[in-house]
Amino acid sequence: LTLLLGLPLTLPAEPPACAPLRTLPLDNDTLPGILGHWIYIASVSRHPHYLEQVKTMKHAAFSYFPGSNEDELNATKIVRVNETCVVRNTDGIQVFRHNSTLLHVDDQRVSMAEVIQSDKDLLILKHFHDNELGLSLSARTHNVSKEQLEEFKAQLHCLGFTEEEMFFTS
């Protein structure tokens, strides 16, 4: 009995297995759920251009709304960079329903993202920029629960990021 009780202490502790991130299927039922207003909460990436932008960002909010056709979204983004407020309208975010991907081209820079299945009041995007992965967390309100933040942290760990690499807005 003593041997059996002590056995777990002698085995090396293995990190928990990471379940693959589940992409939200983008269809007529789910697409309306990502429309509307979102508050940017946190992100993680190693892409140099993205890091340059996010380091100066103090607050960000954005809204998705339908584009000119059913497979297109438009967005309005409001960002406070230092003490300057910047408003940007983005047209033509392409929705690829077959692989649940969003695509946008801005200044010859291609940005792609998958919407990750999560709580209806959270928007987790897995970003692809020039072969660099990233993950962002946005919410319908300025705050997320401890459990929601822990879910995001678990996902970023599974992608090989550390909590020290996370950027938060105020």
Side-chain angles (χ1 to χ4, degrees), residues 9-144:
L9 298 175
T10 62
L11 296 174
E14 292 185 26
C18 289
L21 300 179
R22 290 188 356 206
T23 304
L24 180 72
L26 295 178
D27 56 30
N28 290 340
D29 294 329
T30 59
L31 203 51
I34 69 169
L35 299 178
H37 189 70
W38 296 96
I39 306 295
Y40 173 86
I41 305 290
S43 68
V44 62
S45 177
R46 293 187 186 116
H47 189 276
H49 177 73
Y50 184 80
L51 291 173
E52 180 183 310
Q53 287 182 333
V54 77
K55 285 179 182 178
T56 61
M57 190 168 56
K58 304 298 180 202
H59 174 79
F62 59 95
S63 296
Y64 286 132
F65 49 96
S68 59
N69 68 59
E70 70 176 1
D71 290 330
E72 186 176 274
L73 298 176
N74 293 330
T76 298
K77 182 163 79 170
I78 302 168
V79 180
R80 191 175 82 215
V81 178
N82 298 321
E83 298 307 314
T84 304
C85 186
V86 178
V87 177
R88 262 186 107 177
N89 292 312
T90 302
D91 296 330
I93 299 170
Q94 299 299 308
V95 177
F96 293 98
R97 294 170 186 253
H98 69 280
N99 65 0
S100 299
T101 303
L102 304 174
L103 173 79
H104 182 251
V105 179
D106 184 31
D107 296 330
Q108 306 301 318
R109 187 166 289 133
V110 176
S111 300
M112 292 178 55
E114 292 177 344
V115 180
I116 302 303
Q117 190 125 27
S118 186
D119 182 289
K120 67 178 179 67
D121 292 325
L122 292 182
L123 180 63
I124 298 176
L125 296 175
K126 182 179 175 184
H127 301 272
F128 305 92
H129 299 280
D130 302 328
N131 296 322
E132 291 284 344
L133 286 179
L135 202 62
S136 67
L137 171 66
S138 299
R140 295 287 186 186
T141 66
H142 290 276
N143 299 310
V144 294

